[in-house]
Amino acid sequence: MSVRRTLATARRVLEQLRHDPRTIALMLIVPCVLISLLKWVFDASPHVFQSVGAALLGIFPFTVMFLVTSVGMLRERTTGTLERLLTMPLAKADLLGGYALAFGSVALVQAGIASALTIGLLGLKVAGPVWAVFVVALLDALLGMALGLFTSAFARTEFQAVQFLPAFVLPQFLLCGLFAPRDRMQPVLRWISDVLPLSYAVSAMDKITAHGTVTGGLITDMAIIAGAGVLALALGAATLRRRTD
């Protein structure tokens, strides 16, 4: 893996994003709009937002980054850009590393804006340190990015890439513990939720909301989220083909 080639790839992707304001708006503004909408929907029941606001701060960036990166990488495949790049002395790790660095930079901004909005303007109260909320939100966005890059390998059209959203993200959304505690689910569902990375994102946010200090359980959840992202990137590199069918 070459640092120079990875940085060059990241610059190319960021330059493309700079000329695509709609995608930038989708990544930076949509999570904030959704969280704000939830706050206003439950304006008469503020305890509802207090109980789920932190969890959704991790779920919405995860979902948006998954969608944008899966479609973006697929577009590189279908237009032949990916095949032309891989005919050059560019390793797969350089390509995915550049994408991860570029979208990771956007995820950093996204997490900062969403966290500031939720805790500041919308008044979400957390017992733990604010920086921990930001770190978990960032890890969730990076996880969505990594999984989006990985799943793009299994789609042939942008429509198929979008179909992975309900097929891959929605089950995690239902089983992550947002609607019902995971320990009260049926055993089979609980076992499935134990291997879904979004479950640990919600668990981490719940711990930050409930505990005034950084606990060992929170560190474990963060490590699992980060590990799942690294694994997804590794699998993405393994499934990246030098020829486009």
Side-chain angles (χ1 to χ4, degrees):
M1 183 176 180
S2 168
V3 174
R4 181 175 59 84
R5 293 167 184 164
T6 299
L7 292 176
T9 301
R11 283 195 299 269
R12 181 182 65 83
V13 175
L14 288 174
E15 185 66 19
Q16 289 177 338
L17 289 175
R18 188 172 69 87
H19 295 288
D20 190 355
R22 288 175 294 183
T23 299
I24 294 176
L26 178 63
M27 290 188 289
L28 299 183
I29 298 177
V30 169
C32 296
V33 172
L34 293 175
I35 295 172
S36 300
L37 182 61
L38 181 75
K39 167 69 173 180
W40 297 329
V41 166
F42 293 105
D43 189 55
S45 305
H47 65 279
V48 176
F49 179 74
Q50 182 62 35
S51 63
V52 302
L56 292 176
L57 182 58
I59 292 175
F60 287 152
F62 168 90
T63 304
V64 171
M65 292 300 291
F66 177 90
L67 177 62
V68 170
T69 52
S70 60
V71 173
M73 176 57 80
L74 180 65
R75 188 175 300 166
E76 297 274 57
R77 296 173 186 272
T78 56
T79 58
T81 302
L82 181 62
E83 187 171 344
R84 290 194 297 270
L85 287 172
L86 291 178
T87 59
M88 303 167 62
L90 182 71
K92 295 179 180 180
D94 295 330
L95 181 66
L96 286 181
Y99 264 85
L101 187 59
F103 282 105
S105 301
V106 178
L108 182 66
V109 178
Q110 180 194 70
I113 295 174
S115 299
L117 172 72
T118 306
I119 298 176
L121 186 61
L122 300 182
L124 179 70
K125 296 179 176 62
V126 294
V130 175
W131 64 263
V133 176
F134 169 76
V135 170
V136 174
L138 175 61
L139 288 174
D140 293 341
L142 292 174
L143 174 63
M145 173 209 68
L147 290 174
L149 292 175
F150 167 59
T151 56
S152 68
F154 305 100
R156 294 182 179 271
T157 65
E158 292 184 13
F159 179 68
Q160 290 180 356
V162 173
Q163 288 177 322
F164 277 113
L165 185 65
F168 192 83
V169 175
L170 188 56
Q172 296 194 65
F173 184 75
L174 295 175
L175 298 176
C176 68
L178 180 65
F179 298 103
R182 292 164 53 209
D183 56 2
R184 298 182 185 176
M185 295 180 180
Q186 293 292 330
V188 173
L189 296 181
R190 187 173 66 251
W191 296 335
I192 294 174
S193 72
D194 286 342
V195 300
L196 298 178
L198 199 58
S199 300
Y200 298 94
V202 172
S203 175
M205 286 298 192
D206 288 342
K207 289 181 175 67
I208 296 172
T209 303
H211 301 287
T213 60
V214 176
T215 64
L218 175 59
I219 297 298
T220 300
D221 288 339
M222 289 181 175
I224 292 174
I225 298 169
V230 172
L231 177 61
L233 284 177
L235 292 174
T239 57
L240 194 62
R241 299 186 298 273
R242 288 190 173 270
R243 294 189 59 85
T244 304
D245 295 333

